[in-house]
């Protein structure tokens, strides 16, 4: 059973550019969530996808968007990058749907994004 | 989401038990108590969760106060590999897979 993988590992962009981060969910998982973790802080929830639909969003502007594909892999897109977007971006997958979901979340190792 | 309060840091010696406290005085009846930990340069990993009764698994034990306003994560014999940030998180049935992380407790394990 393969775990959650993310690519790329590290990425450097300049302010105003756009970035796409990728995540492959653990086999059999139909729910994926994305988190932003600034240095020294806990991860902050961006949004979650269930069966290719966004289903829950944190306090992030619309320039943060995502996709979930039929094979349950996922992308996080960030437009018009700002310096404060520099962070570790984590994705997490789980199974069992959304409502009443207490299932264990499996996290990937993250993508470290630096915006200059 | 109901809020949790944890100490910023704790220290332990290798092979000794560690008790990591968490206060959640505004917990609701449907909130489950979850613990995750984040080792250096890794994503968070699930440790344990419970509702009312104490829980044990291969990684740790979770002791929940009778009034559920606090809980304690117990590592029975700390190893160097247990050095991590430990997060206590409340989850209800309406938040889906969303986890609301606080600052967590940085655990240092001394050899």
């Amino acid at each position: 059973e393969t775990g959650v993988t993310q690519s790329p590992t590290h990425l450097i962009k300049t302010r105003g550019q756009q970035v796409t981060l990728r995540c492959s969910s653990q086999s059999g998982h139909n729910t994926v969530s994305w988190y932003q973790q600034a240095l020294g802080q806990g991860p902050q929830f961006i949004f979650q996808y269930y069966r290719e639909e966004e289903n829950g969003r944190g306090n992030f502007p619309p320039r943060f968007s995502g996709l979930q594909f039929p094979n349950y892999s996922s992308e996080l897109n960030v437009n018009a990058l700002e310096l404060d977007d520099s962070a570790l971006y984590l994705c997490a997958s789980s199974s069992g749907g959304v409502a009443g979901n207490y299932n264990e979340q499996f996290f990937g190792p993250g993508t470290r994004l630096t915006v200059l | 989401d109901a809020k949790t309060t944890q100490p910023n840091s704790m220290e332990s010696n290798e092979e000794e038990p560690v008790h990591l406290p968490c206060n959640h005085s505004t917990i609701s009846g449907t909130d489950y108590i979850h613990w995750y930990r984040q080792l250096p340069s890794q994503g968070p990993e699930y440790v344990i969760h419970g509702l009312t009764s104490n829980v044990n698994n291969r990684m740790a034990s979770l002791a929940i106060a009778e009034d559920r306003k606090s809980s304690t994560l117990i590592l029975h014999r700390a190893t160097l590999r247990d050095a991590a940030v430990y997060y206590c998180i409340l989850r209800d049935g309406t938040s889906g897979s969303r986890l609301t992380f606080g600052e967590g407790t940085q655990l240092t394990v001394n050899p």
Side-chain angles (χ1 to χ4, degrees):
Chain A
E1 182 180 87
T2 50
V4 178
T5 59
Q6 294 186 243
S7 63
T9 307
H10 296 86
L11 199 54
I12 299 175
K13 291 286 189 178
T14 57
R15 195 169 49 182
Q17 285 189 310
Q18 178 266 343
V19 69
T20 297
L21 310 181
R22 294 179 174 83
C23 171
S24 286
S25 299
Q26 187 155 318
S27 177
H29 287 180
N30 56 15
T31 304
V32 66
S33 302
W34 285 91
Y35 292 81
Q36 179 194 67
Q37 185 173 25
L39 204 60
Q41 298 184 20
Q44 299 300 304
F45 175 78
I46 302 174
F47 45 54
Q48 68 187 18
Y49 278 79
Y50 172 61
R51 294 183 176 174
E52 303 175 55
E53 296 284 333
E54 184 180 300
N55 193 317
R57 188 177 184 94
N59 188 25
F60 281 82
R63 60 189 184 84
F64 286 79
S65 63
L67 285 172
Q68 186 184 30
F69 301 100
N71 65 355
Y72 301 130
S73 65
S74 176
E75 286 182 356
L76 165 66
N77 299 290
V78 187
N79 294 321
L81 283 167
E82 301 176 0
L83 297 179
D84 284 349
D85 295 334
S86 295
L88 181 69
Y89 288 85
L90 297 157
C91 85
S93 72
S94 64
S95 61
V98 177
N101 182 354
Y102 302 111
N103 290 345
E104 176 180 350
Q105 301 288 306
F106 292 83
F107 283 82
T111 294
R112 172 71 63 187
L113 173 66
T114 301
V115 182
L116 303 177
Chain B
D1 293 325
K3 184 176 170 55
T4 63
T5 304
Q6 300 177 251
N8 289 335
S9 63
M10 290 187 65
E11 210 166 313
S12 174
N13 296 320
E14 202 174 7
E15 298 189 6
E16 291 184 356
V18 181
H19 290 233
L20 297 164
C22 180
N23 288 318
H24 28 78
S25 58
T26 59
I27 191 170
S28 75
T30 57
D31 283 339
Y32 278 72
I33 303 159
H34 287 244
W35 284 80
Y36 280 74
R37 71 180 186 180
Q38 188 170 19
L39 278 65
S41 302
Q42 294 187 27
E45 65 174 344
Y46 168 84
V47 178
I48 200 167
H49 79 277
L51 182 63
T52 56
S53 304
N54 294 344
V55 185
N56 300 295
N57 66 19
R58 64 175 178 81
M59 288 181 70
S61 296
L62 176 60
I64 301 173
E66 196 168 332
D67 64 4
R68 302 213 321 129
K69 293 183 184 300
S70 65
S71 60
T72 302
L73 179 70
I74 303 166
L75 307 179
H76 295 286
R77 289 179 74 244
T79 69
L80 296 178
R81 194 195 173 276
D82 291 322
V85 178
Y86 286 78
Y87 297 98
C88 170
I89 299 167
L90 301 182
R91 294 182 70 184
D92 65 25
T94 63
S95 58
S97 61
R98 174 180 189 154
L99 296 173
T100 301
F101 290 84
E103 301 290 321
T105 296
Q106 174 69 63
L107 175 66
T108 300
V109 180
N110 299 313

